[in-house]
Amino acid sequence: METLNAISALTALGHTTRLAAFRLLVEAGPAGRMAGDIATALQVPPATLSFHLKELVQAGLVESESQGRNVCYRANFGAMTGLIEYLTHNCCAGSPSEQCVPTVPECKC
C-alpha cells in the first residue's frame, strides 16, 4: 500500500459512523450487508449513511454492488490487510523480540 492510499483509508476511518459501518461490514464477511440493513443497525438516516459509505468506497475500503434497486456493501479485505501491513511494516525496526511482532488474526471469510 502506498502512503497516500494509507492516508485516504485512515482519513475515511477517522469518523465514528464510517468506522462503525466498516466494522459492521468486516463482521458480515464476504456476504456484506444491504445499505438499508446497515442504516438500521447503526440508526443512521439513509442519506447520511450513503455519504459515509461513499467515502469508504472512495478510500478503497468498501466495495458496492447494485442488486436491483438496492446496494450491497462489502468490506474490501485486501485493502484492510494492506493497511495493517503498511502500519506494521518494519515494526520495532526488525527487533528479534517476540513481543514486538504484531499479530493479525486470520480472517475466516
Side-chain angles (χ1 to χ4, degrees):
M1 174 171 282
E2 299 293 322
T3 299
L4 292 178
N5 296 47
I7 290 169
S8 177
L10 291 168
T11 299
L13 292 173
H15 187 279
T16 306
T17 301
R18 289 192 291 267
L19 181 59
F22 183 71
R23 292 185 72 199
L24 192 67
L25 291 172
V26 168
E27 183 180 305
R33 291 187 73 164
M34 301 305 276
D37 295 338
I38 298 168
T40 300
L42 299 180
Q43 299 179 348
V44 176
T48 301
L49 180 66
S50 178
F51 168 79
H52 290 299
L53 289 172
K54 181 185 71 144
E55 294 293 314
L56 290 168
V57 169
Q58 286 180 342
L61 292 169
V62 169
E63 299 169 341
S64 64
E65 176 188 354
S66 294
Q67 295 182 353
R69 297 177 69 189
N70 299 309
V71 180
C72 182
Y73 289 90
R74 293 178 184 84
N76 180 339
F77 291 100
M80 179 182 74
T81 302
L83 179 60
I84 293 168
E85 289 172 356
Y86 177 86
L87 293 172
T88 58
H89 178 74
N90 203 23
C91 179
C92 303
S95 169
S97 171
E98 289 183 23
Q99 294 175 345
C100 179
V101 178
T103 57
V104 180
E106 193 171 317
C107 183
K108 295 177 174 80
C109 303

